[in-house]
Every structure is written in C-alpha cells, then in structure tokens.
Amino acid sequence: MRVGLLTGGGDVPGLNAAIRAVVKRGEGEYGHSIIGFRNGWKGVVDGASEPMTRQHIRNVLPVGGTLLGTARYHPHRADGGMDAVLATLEAERIEALICIGGDGTLHAASKVAEAGIRIVAIPKTIDNDVWGTDRSIGFDTAVTIATEAIDRIHTTAESHNRVMIVEVMGRDAGWIATTAGIAGGAELVLTPEEPFDIERIERFLKHRHRAHASFSIVVVAEGAIPAEGTAMHYETQVGKFGEIVAGAIGERLKVEIEQRTGFDTRVTVLGHVQRGGIPTPTDRILGSRFGVAAIDAVARGESNVMTALRGERVELVPLSEIAGKVKRVPEDLLAVARALA
Ligand code: F6P
C-alpha cells in the first residue's frame, strides 16, 4: 500500500519521532511504501515527494524540526489548491495520507477528507490547543524551555529589582504561559483565556513591591489581550496566516507597567527558541506513540480520524469533531496560577 506523509504548520520538536515511527512500522510491519511530501500541503500541490525509507530515519529521535520540511500553506484557501492536491495524490497512487499538524493543517486535512481521501491525522503544536487530545507533540519541550528561561530570568530580576516580562507563544490558548508560569513561579500569568485588567496588574505589582518583594515575573502569552472596558487599549497584531507578531504584547505591557508603576521593567520574547532543538523524552515518546497509532489505523482501514492522547491511552477521534475548535486552558489550571501569585 502507498501511504502519503506530511508535516504542516509550525515545526515542533518530536515530529521526527512520529515520522520515524510511521516509516519504521509502515515499512517493517506492513510492507507499505511511505511517500513523504516536502513542506506540508505545499509539497502535495507541487508534487514534491520522495519515498521515505529506514535510511532517512536513522538517528532522528533527538533531532528537532522535521525531516520533511513544513510550511504554512492551506490548499483549500489557494486558487486551484484542492484540485492540485487531488491530482498529485492520484498520480502518486496514494491510498491514505497521514497528516501531522496543528489547527491549520488539520482543517485542510478535513477538507481533503471531504473530497474522498482517506486521512489519518496526528496533532502537533507547542500551543497544545488542538481539540480532542490531552497533549500535542511539541508542547512538553516548549514548556521545558520556557520554564528554564523563567528560572534564569528569576535570578537577574532579583539582582536588579526589576519587573521582568516573559512573552511565550500561545495564540489562542495560554497553555505554555500557564504551565511554565506555575513551574517557574511567575507572579502573574496572562492568557487569552482571561483578558487582563492593567489597573489590577498595577495595583498588584505596587502592593507586592511595597509589602515584601523587590522584583516580579510576569509571563504573558502572545495572544493575551486586555479585558473590554478596561484602561488599556490594544489590538492583537497578526500576520497573513494568523500567526501573532512576536513581541507586540510584551513590549506594550513593558511600557504600560513602567509608566504606571515606575518600576524598572524589561521584556524577554522567547519566540522560536520554544520550538527549536532537542525534543524532551516525553515528546519523543508521544510522537512515537502517535506515529505507531496512525500507521496501525491506516492498516485497519480507518479513515478521517486523528490520534489523541486521552489520559494514559492513545485513541482515535473523528477529524470532523476537532476541526475549527480550540482547546483552551481549563479554569482549574488557571486558578492554580492565580492562587500562587
Ligand atoms: O502555531 C504555533 C505557533 O508557535 C504560534 O504560537 C505562533 O503564533 C506561531 O506558531 C508562529 O508562527 P511562525 O513560525 O510562522 O512565525
């Protein structure tokens, strides 16, 4: 059987573990030919493919990024994109396509599935906001990196008696901000889930610095916004694929906090550092589990499903159930971050 494979959207550490698992088990257990498409859906449109064999996947577990390359490209939004996808898949005699991606890539996958192609999807995004799965590949590594950064910022914040703002990724959900904020002991965590009130932040920081501390760490998700009707006006700045302009909210908060409190304030934008480098064991294991589950699902004849971590188990969820939804940080986790301010 000829099985297509692509990685789309922003890269994450742990993608190569998933690719490796698909190729190793697909070839070894089932005798499938795995056809890799370069640079996500763009490679399918352009017919940029190569057979993936055991040679390609040697020693890739500790390597970040994706062997296949990736791109932010959505065929259903491009002129002639869907026709080109279907033409390539027919020409390549692809019987099932494994798509590894976040919300954008999986939305495209559900459109391609509607056109009659068998799809098995694997969720990845450091933002951890794909609906239907407890975890997406890449999240654990991003939280590990962000936590280490906050630990390092702590010592310099304390030495200089400063307010330090750490901006982390998280466009629509504040998973990295909340979990790294808790792990790193941030005083304030600002997320898209809970629009903030700058006057409350001002009061909080003034009180803390008067009462018992000379420094503070504020972790802000890039998609955090002020609450409507509060004193700060700010519009999220996004690029053409909906990606947020890095640093915009962090810089804006720095100015607001400095002006309102008079405290020396600095901002660190972690940006793509969170997406690069060596995957944690947890992400390697998750990528491997999802890869095996996906190729097993293909072999069983499943179609239009996504692998999902539910508690301790990897299960399959219908692709149609997840498209267009965002998995937000639950209230109890946000409450822990608030409780430890
Ligand atoms: O989708 C994951 C993400 O990391 C977002 O948090 C961020 O807004 C975006 O990717 C950045 O994308 P790009 O790599 O295209 O700048």
Side-chain angles (χ1 to χ4, degrees), residues 43-126:
V44 187
V45 165
D46 296 344
S49 65
E50 58 176 324
M52 299 288 290
T53 65
R54 278 165 181 264
Q55 256 81 296
H56 294 91
I57 55 165
R58 213 156 269 155
N59 301 329
V60 296
L61 278 173
V63 182
T66 162
L67 281 178
L68 286 170
T70 187
R72 288 195 192 280
Y73 176 86
H74 308 306
H76 56 292
R77 293 198 199 131
D79 253 3
M82 287 297 274
D83 289 344
V85 164
L86 299 179
T88 300
L89 295 178
E90 191 179 342
E92 287 279 3
R93 292 174 288 113
I94 299 295
E95 292 163 75
L97 184 60
I98 297 180
C99 306
I100 313 179
D103 53 350
T105 306
L106 300 187
H107 189 62
S110 69
K111 295 283 171 202
V112 173
E114 279 168 22
I117 302 297
R118 273 184 63 199
I119 300 275
V120 175
I122 295 178
K124 69 84 221 170
T125 166
I126 65 164

Side-chain angles (χ1 to χ4, degrees), residues 106-107 109-111 113-114 119-123 130-133 297 300 302-310 314-325:
L106 300 187
H107 189 62
S110 69
K111 295 283 171 202
E114 279 168 22
I119 300 275
V120 175
I122 295 178
V130 173
W131 182 269
T133 180
R300 285 199 307 274
E302 302 271 4
S303 107
N304 308 338
V305 289
M306 182 187 81
T307 63
L309 187 71
R310 300 266 177 102
V314 172
E315 298 177 1
L316 297 177
V317 295
L319 203 48
S320 56
E321 263 182 30
I322 63 125
K325 296 184 191 157

